[in-house]
Amino acid sequence: MLLETAAAGNRDAMLDALAGSRLFVLVARLHADTPGFTPPLTTQPDPATPGRMCVTALTSGRLPPWHPDWVFEATGLDEFARRWPDGVRWLAINPGTPDAVTLEAGPGRRRAWLKAHARTGGPQAGLLLTHRAGPLHGPVAHSLALGAHLAVHNGLVWNDLGAAYEGYTTDRARLRKPWGVLDRAAYRETLEALLATRLAGRTYESVLRIRRTLAGRLGRTPTVPEWSAALTDALTRRQSTGSEAAEAHEALRLAVTYEDRFRADGALGAGERVDTLAAFDYGRAVNVVRLALGARLCDPREAEQAVLRIGALAGQAYGSWAQFSLGYSLSRVMHFDADDSSGVKYEQSLAQHRVLTQDPNSPYRNIAWS
């Protein structure tokens, strides 16, 4: 898109495209790990014009291969305008590549950058973004697509295992909170917990399992009263406490409520149900792997092996992309029900499901489930 707008000569459109993109600057990992460090806007010769010095930045599709000691920090066109070094008159985007664009960077031009940022609001969430040079088919692409809900939610590309996910500092921060991951050992522990679906919600999953088992016996989806009675019987046999029983029946209520909403909105068919919420952990596991790769807590080979493991497990739990997506969406809205009185998270989840199952460019429309 950037190259096309530049070729068309529409300066405002090109600035809007840049303002809506994450721009990356190269930083030594040793410096990036220093508390309070702010990456400098370094200059280098413009390969297209000998003798001209430029501040340089890369878009996500043009980052070089992953390296353990060199990382990339994400910034925006507005940040470049605010931190611009004295005496430099040019900004080079993707220098030396087919997508190279050079911008004048005088004071008036930098004011136009800030206006472009104000127009666009910066990088947008809720978008399905695909790297043309990333994996589009095959097992790795299939496995990465399991994390597409979070990629769409954050406005990040879904099909990349490379030098950065969202940016080195941000990747490390997202691992610290909410995952509590600070080192390789904690990353591996978290990944194994997600692969074992220990974080999807044992009560939620147990309640759905009771319905699935009952459906197998009946040869049809049980009614809500039948499901509730079977749940009560199971809780009695387990000698569950009152609080455990209340939690289980609340899980049933949430599942019924949100399945009904998905049906009313056309996402879940009249005779369909969600049998497992494992998709939520598998989708988040892909995200954790990509964050760990960006944070340099694993290398590309480890990351690829991890996402392939996730893909194999998801293939055993679900029979289609639609089933996987609904499992992810239902689990997400059940988990966040208590703090979603406005319905925003439900609407987000429904929108992500629709984008991934209906957009012609979605991996869910272009990669066979099995």
Side-chain angles (χ1 to χ4, degrees), residues 161-190:
L161 277 178
Y165 185 29
E166 196 169 352
Y168 180 72
T169 296
T170 304
D171 292 346
R172 290 175 66 86
R174 287 188 180 274
L175 284 172
R176 282 196 303 273
K177 185 178 180 181
W179 298 109
V181 169
L182 300 175
D183 54 33
R184 289 171 63 91
Y187 155 62
R188 289 171 177 162
E189 181 179 340
T190 298

Side-chain angles (χ1 to χ4, degrees), residues 1-346:
M1 179 180 177
L2 180 59
L3 186 62
E4 288 83 352
T5 53
N10 187 329
R11 185 173 68 90
D12 285 345
M14 181 174 65
L15 290 181
D16 286 352
L18 282 171
S21 303
R22 288 176 177 83
L23 302 175
F24 293 86
V25 293
L26 177 67
V27 181
R29 183 180 169 190
L30 178 66
H31 295 157
D33 286 337
T34 302
F37 173 77
T38 299
L41 301 183
T42 56
T43 60
Q44 68 180 47
D46 183 352
T49 307
R52 186 164 74 185
M53 298 299 291
C54 302
V55 169
T56 60
L58 299 172
T59 56
S60 61
R62 284 296 175 183
L63 295 181
W66 185 95
H67 189 283
D69 298 321
W70 292 93
V71 298
F72 289 89
E73 295 286 14
T75 186
L77 196 61
D78 60 321
E79 188 69 13
F80 276 99
R82 286 191 288 267
R83 296 177 48 221
W84 194 257
D86 293 334
V88 183
R89 305 288 297 181
W90 301 92
L91 171 62
I93 308 294
N94 300 327
T97 77
D99 292 327
V101 173
T102 303
L103 302 178
E104 291 185 62
R109 299 297 189 184
R110 298 200 300 275
R111 285 193 291 272
W113 299 357
L114 292 171
K115 290 178 181 178
H117 176 79
R119 282 195 302 271
T120 64
Q124 299 298 300
L127 299 178
L128 174 64
L129 302 177
T130 303
H131 270 336
R132 290 170 295 179
L136 298 172
H137 301 283
V140 173
H142 182 285
S143 298
L144 286 172
L146 299 172
H149 287 83
L150 271 167
V152 169
H153 180 73
N154 293 310
L156 301 169
V157 297
W158 65 268
N159 64 327
D160 184 46
L161 277 178
Y165 185 29
E166 196 169 352
Y168 180 72
T169 296
T170 304
D171 292 346
R172 290 175 66 86
R174 287 188 180 274
L175 284 172
R176 282 196 303 273
K177 185 178 180 181
W179 298 109
V181 169
L182 300 175
D183 54 33
R184 289 171 63 91
Y187 155 62
R188 289 171 177 162
E189 181 179 340
T190 298
L191 178 61
E192 292 303 320
L194 287 164
L195 291 174
T197 64
R198 292 202 296 269
L199 303 179
R202 294 183 181 180
T203 299
Y204 292 169
E205 191 71 5
S206 173
V207 168
L208 290 183
R209 190 182 306 116
I210 287 169
R211 180 176 61 174
R212 184 172 71 244
T213 302
L214 181 58
R217 290 204 305 266
L218 297 175
R220 59 172 173 81
T221 297
T223 65
V224 173
E226 289 172 334
W227 183 14
S228 182
L231 174 58
T232 298
D233 289 344
L235 293 168
T236 300
R237 289 195 305 272
R238 296 173 194 163
Q239 297 183 330
S240 301
T241 65
S243 61
E244 290 170 340
E247 182 183 2
H249 281 286
E250 173 64 4
L252 186 151
R253 186 193 69 80
L254 288 173
V256 170
T257 297
Y258 284 113
E259 283 186 338
D260 284 348
R261 291 188 69 176
F262 283 129
R263 287 191 189 93
D265 287 319
L268 188 64
E272 297 176 339
R273 64 178 187 267
V274 175
D275 279 341
T276 174
L277 305 177
F280 196 48
D281 275 5
Y282 295 148
R284 291 187 295 171
V286 171
N287 185 64
V288 165
V289 172
R290 295 183 67 188
L291 288 170
L293 183 62
R296 301 311 189 262
L297 298 184
C298 66
D299 61 37
R301 182 173 175 275
E302 291 175 284
E304 181 174 308
Q305 289 175 334
V307 298
L308 289 173
R309 284 180 65 197
I310 300 164
L313 291 169
Q316 296 169 14
Y318 295 94
S320 69
W321 284 115
Q323 289 179 10
F324 174 86
S325 185
L326 285 166
Y328 183 97
S329 301
L330 179 62
S331 184
R332 183 175 188 264
V333 294
M334 289 176 68
H335 273 78
F336 291 113
D337 174 79
D339 57 352
D340 192 29
S341 58
S342 64
V344 170
K345 288 184 172 61
Y346 173 80

